[in-house]
Amino acid sequence: AQSVSQHNHHVILSEAASLELGCNYSYGGTVNLFWYVQYPGQHLQLLLKYFSGDPLVKGIKGFEAEFIKSKFSFNLRKPSVQWSDTAEYFCAVTRDNYGQNFVFGPGTRLSVLP
Amino acid sequence: KAGVTQTPRYLIKTRGQQVTLSCSPISGHRSVSWYQQTPGQGLQFLFEYFSETQRNKGNFPGRFSGRQFSNSRSEMNVSTLELGDSALYLCASSSRGGNIQYFGAGTRLSVL
């Protein structure tokens, strides 16, 4: 069964610091990869997605992620975080052509200090 | 377009009772998935319905069931509630292509 791991449970940064959240998955075939964000008190929202093509994917709010197939990784980055980025971030994987049965990582809580 | 709507937003039940949660997907979306979110276990997939048929099922006991109606609205039922069923239950819908899920705000269930 495929699984998704996220390297950090809780990350604390100061505003303007750079962010990188790790995500690794176990499935060896073709995958679709996602990062979702859950702001305090709000529902899950899609940040960015990778299906195919350029492995560097740009999402909303200045976030980007890089798919490295050889490392089974899909790390999320942002060059300069803001207090409003405080949220929980989830990496998710689904297999190509299935589209469902998403497997989510355990989440990384990001706290940005003003 | 309206987003995914889940009702009710909050529920308080006691052990042994049963509960039904409702999800209205985005208009035109025919796939509805349900997840359980808890601090300890994270997001866990319950099941997915497409065109009134259960297409995928996660690893939950038979007390958890669901159905989907012809208008794509879905309900999830949990019978004989246990304390450990306290969680945020999330519904997500996707279009026929299915590769992006859009989530509702969830129903927070507290079992006392």
Side-chain angles (χ1 to χ4, degrees), chain B residues 15-34:
Chain B
R15 275 186 304 175
Q17 286 187 308
Q18 78 162 24
V19 69
T20 299
L21 313 181
S22 180
C23 172
S24 294
I26 291 172
S27 177
H29 286 189
R30 291 166 63 191
S31 170
V32 173
S33 297
W34 289 89

Side-chain angles (χ1 to χ4, degrees), chain B residues 1-20:
Chain B
K1 260 187 186 176
V4 178
T5 305
Q6 291 188 246
T7 56
R9 288 295 310 277
Y10 302 94
L11 265 177
I12 299 175
K13 293 285 187 181
T14 56
R15 275 186 304 175
Q17 286 187 308
Q18 78 162 24
V19 69
T20 299

Side-chain angles (χ1 to χ4, degrees), chain A residues 67-78:
Chain A
F67 170 51
I68 303 179
K69 190 173 181 179
S70 60
K71 295 185 178 180
F72 300 90
S73 71
F74 190 55
N75 292 355
L76 181 71
R77 300 195 291 246
K78 185 171 183 178

Side-chain angles (χ1 to χ4, degrees), chain A residues 9 32 34 36 38 41-46 49 51 88 90 94-102 104-106, chain B residues 9 31 33 35 37 39 42-43 45 48 55-57 88 90 94-95 97-106:
Chain A
H9 177 65
N32 298 324
F34 306 81
Y36 281 85
Q38 190 171 31
Q42 296 189 29
H43 59 278
L44 276 163
Q45 301 170 43
L46 182 67
K49 61 190 184 296
F51 293 160
E88 188 142 18
F90 295 90
T94 184
R95 289 177 292 168
D96 189 34
N97 295 330
Y98 285 83
Q100 297 308 315
N101 215 352
F102 278 57
F104 281 82
Chain B
R9 288 295 310 277
S31 170
S33 297
Y35 295 85
Q37 186 179 20
L43 271 158
F45 173 74
E48 182 238 343
R55 194 161 67 171
N56 285 297
K57 190 177 189 306
L88 181 66
L90 294 169
S94 56
S95 61
N99 276 336
I100 300 175
Q101 293 196 327
Y102 297 87
F103 283 83

